[in-house]
Every structure is written in C-alpha cells, then in structure tokens.
Amino acid sequence: MTQVSPLVSIIVPVYNAEKYLRYCVDSILRQSYEHLEIILVDDGATDSSPMILDEYQRRDNRVRVIHQTNGGIAKAQNAGLDAAHGDYIAFADNDDILDRRNIELLLHALISTGADMSKARWRQFGVSQIEEVAMEAREGAAEPEHASVFTNPLNAYQTVFCKSLRLIGDKLGHNTEARYFNEANWCRLYKRELWDGVRFPEGMYAQDTAIAGHLYVRMNKVADIDVNLYNWLQRPESVTHQKRDFAFHHDHITAASDNFRLCLDRGVLPMRSYYTLIGELEAEREAPDFHIPENQQQYETDRQEIDTLLANLTRAQRMRCAVIQRIRLFEKYIYDRRIKNMR
C-alpha cells in the first residue's frame, strides 16, 4: 500500500451500550489493518460502559478513552475529532460490528484511486443474529470485484437514494448502486483534512445531515467497493425506532433547509432534501407534543420557509422531486415493515 502505514483514527461515541459494546470494540481490535488509533468517547454513560472502556484501554495501547459529561452524539463525535491524530478518519456506532477487513479495504480503495473518501456496503441485522454476524465479521470479507470512482458527491447524495431506481440503473449497466450513500458517517474512510474546520452541531438531532452537504462539497472523488464491511444492529429501543418529539423533526427541517440552499448555490437538484422537508413538515404535525403553542408557531415558520425554498425550483424540477418522493415513501413503508421489526 505504502512504505509507511498511515495511522487511521476510529471514533466511537459510547452511551449506555453495555449489552453490545464488546461486540463493537472487539471487531475494531481485530481489524486486519493494525495501525489504528481507537478513540472511545464515553458520553456520560450511566451503565457499566465506562468501566468496559477503561478495561480495553488497559489491554491495548491503541485504545484511548475519553470520559465526558453527557452532551449527545455530536459532542462525543467532536471530542473524538479533536483528539484524533490519524491521517484518515473513520466512525462507528457503539453497537455495530465492523468486518475484520473494513479498514484494510477502505484504505486501499482510497489510496489506490486517489479519492477523498471511500465507502463500502452495509447490512442491517437483529439482536438474535448478533453471534452469527460477529463470527462472519471475524472471518473477513472476500476481495471486492472492483472499486468504482465518481465525482460530484453532493449530486450523488441528493439524487441517488431510491432503492428501486438504483436496482433498475444497475440492470441497465449504469452501476448506480456504487453512487449511493447517505449522511451516516460509518462504513466510510475520510482523508483527515476534510474535517478541518468542520464539526457536528451540538444539541441537535440531525447532526450528520447538518454537515453532510458541507462535507461533500470538499470532496473531488469518492471510491466505492462492492462488498459488505459494516453490520448495523437494529434495536427496538434505539432512537431510530422510537416515537420522535417535535424538536426531532424540526432539527431535520433545519438541516435539510441548509442542504437545500447549498444545492441551489451549486446547481444541484436537491431531491433528497425535498423529500426530507416534505416528510418532516408532516411529521411535525403528528408529533406527540405538537399541541404546545410554541411548536405550532414553529411549524408555521417552517412551512413558510419551505414554501420559499421550493419557489426556487422550476415546475419541472418540483414535479421530478415529487415523483421521487412518492417512490421513496413506498420504499420506506416496505423498509419499516421489514427492518424495524427485526429481532
């Protein structure tokens, strides 16, 4: 790869994850690429997670533990970024499992193609599958068939997000799946300099969406490898699966609005942001605390802002966004029934 192996920093925010934490950290310690700095950020956990982290730090000198008062995932991610010394940056959630070759293959793809970020495929799994998935991850993924490289990641992020259309694109030989990625930060490897001056907004639910566009416009090339390297645990008690309050949906509108404006400035059709804005505005009205007067006032402000943003699109662009939104809504219905009921 290179004569001197570069240092890769892996940042893991940790909060009350004692049931699954060892699966995650063990999968990182077992990486085939060993020149790692593993930054485990205890975000004020109230279970045994802090003691588990300290145990790992005593056992392996690549592990660095940061203990801080609870401030949310953004604060934990930022603490990790501020402490990182690596030439490359990766993230993982505290209950997910990395394939043994995750860093090895992502780093090779990034360096060999000259990309700014590399990514791979992932899969969801339920709690009942955790032992089986952990065993498969220890065995390590097969060699990817090839690496695909694309430019203008902001455009790919905004336009390539419907699964059915990606499948059709692949059938037509367009390799569409390779261009798909979302705002999640895991199952990726970044050049460190991409994060210079970029940090997650703290105290906000949609911290990853909020920085997504600003991060992607810094990239010239992205490399994708067609192999699963990350296993995403689905838990009924996770934030992803719970009923959300008004603030959750408002934060996503704020983040999507910012991305929408960024796309307008860059000449990119903000189809994903359109989908988010329309969906989250409706979700605000359905939130359990919508009856609070301040939330109803905020809803009207959000509605007016969205109308102003949409007025920047031509009629044809709005129709295109609306069609994609309906396709994605149907896919979400199928997704929710299949994935969110995993056990």
Side-chain angles (χ1 to χ4, degrees):
M1 193 177 298
T2 56
Q3 272 194 321
V4 179
S5 297
L7 179 65
V8 176
S9 296
I10 304 178
I11 299 167
V12 186
V14 177
Y15 182 74
N16 290 0
E18 60 184 4
K19 286 185 181 179
Y20 313 106
L21 182 56
R22 292 186 187 276
Y23 290 98
C24 174
V25 180
D26 286 345
S27 74
I28 297 173
L29 292 176
R30 292 192 183 106
Q31 288 295 297
S32 57
Y33 186 84
E34 297 181 344
H35 194 201
L36 304 175
E37 176 187 51
I38 305 164
I39 304 174
L40 308 176
V41 185
D42 161 32
D43 187 40
T46 58
D47 64 359
S48 64
S49 295
M51 290 179 287
I52 295 172
L53 298 184
D54 289 341
E55 174 191 327
Y56 278 111
Q57 184 169 234
R58 290 191 296 269
R59 283 170 39 191
D60 194 309
N61 60 16
R62 297 176 299 170
V63 174
R64 177 179 177 187
V65 174
I66 299 173
H67 296 289
Q68 63 182 31
T69 57
N70 179 251
I73 188 172
K75 182 180 177 182
Q77 289 172 313
N78 289 340
L81 285 168
D82 292 341
H85 299 95
D87 305 291
Y88 300 94
I89 302 290
F91 294 88
D93 284 353
N94 61 193
D95 51 3
D96 296 338
I97 298 175
L98 279 65
D99 184 90
R100 187 177 67 87
R101 301 186 69 194
N102 181 290
I103 299 300
E104 172 201 346
L105 295 179
L106 287 174
L107 183 59
H108 181 265
L110 193 153
I111 292 177
S112 64
T113 62
D116 301 292
M117 181 186 87
S118 58
K119 65 185 187 69
R121 312 300 166 82
W122 64 87
R123 66 172 175 178
Q124 295 99 333
F125 71 98
V127 172
S128 64
Q129 303 168 281
I130 196 164
E131 293 293 345
E132 175 187 351
V133 169
M135 186 176 299
E136 290 181 10
R138 286 195 294 270
E139 293 174 359
E143 200 71 22
E145 293 185 9
H146 63 276
S148 302
V149 179
F150 61 90
T151 57
N152 196 353
L154 179 64
N155 183 69
Y157 166 67
Q158 285 288 343
T159 59
V160 183
F161 65 101
C162 286
K163 181 66 175 180
S164 53
L165 297 183
R166 301 200 306 269
L167 291 172
I168 292 172
D170 280 357
K171 290 290 185 182
L172 295 175
H174 299 313
N175 197 23
T176 312
E177 187 68 32
R179 297 179 60 240
Y180 167 71
F181 63 106
N182 55 24
E183 54 278 334
N185 303 114
W186 39 252
C187 203
R188 304 179 182 186
L189 190 64
Y190 302 89
K191 284 185 175 178
R192 178 190 176 86
E193 53 264 32
L194 290 172
W195 292 94
D196 290 345
V198 175
R199 290 296 184 268
F200 296 95
E202 297 182 11
M204 183 178 187
Y205 285 108
Q207 85 288 344
D208 45 9
T209 305
I211 67 161
H214 299 283
L215 202 58
Y216 302 149
V217 296
R218 292 180 166 216
M219 303 176 189
N220 294 316
K221 292 195 298 184
V222 172
D224 169 84
I225 46 178
D226 58 341
V227 61
N228 172 64
L229 293 179
Y230 193 92
N231 302 284
W232 179 15
L233 178 63
Q234 303 297 303
R235 293 187 289 130
E237 70 271 23
S238 71
V239 173
T240 307
H241 294 209
Q242 292 175 354
K243 182 71 174 176
R244 287 97 172 230
D245 61 11
F246 183 91
F248 178 93
H249 302 293
H250 171 66
D251 281 357
H252 279 80
I253 287 176
T254 300
S257 297
D258 184 53
N259 278 315
F260 196 106
R261 286 187 287 268
L262 183 65
C263 289
L264 292 177
D265 292 341
R266 298 276 174 162
V268 171
L269 184 59
M271 290 198 292
R272 185 192 289 265
S273 294
Y274 176 99
Y275 166 79
T276 301
L277 290 174
I278 300 301
E280 295 297 338
L281 186 67
E282 181 179 345
E284 279 188 340
R285 285 186 61 87
E286 298 174 354
D289 53 346
F290 178 70
H291 64 279
I292 298 174
E294 290 83 355
N295 289 343
Q296 294 183 7
Q297 292 171 9
Q298 184 61 61
Y299 169 82
E300 289 300 324
T301 301
D302 290 344
R303 184 180 60 79
Q304 293 171 17
E305 180 180 7
I306 290 172
D307 286 344
T308 300
L309 289 173
L310 297 186
N312 290 280
L313 302 180
T314 66
R315 184 176 180 181
Q317 287 174 326
R318 289 183 69 160
M319 288 181 63
R320 186 178 172 191
C321 288
V323 169
I324 294 298
Q325 182 219 10
R326 284 166 174 76
I327 294 173
R328 187 70 189 101
L329 280 175
F330 176 74
E331 292 179 346
K332 184 178 184 298
Y333 171 76
I334 301 298
Y335 173 90
D336 286 350
R337 287 174 61 90
R338 182 171 66 89
I339 297 298
K340 294 191 177 182
N341 290 321
M342 277 187 165
R343 294 291 184 268

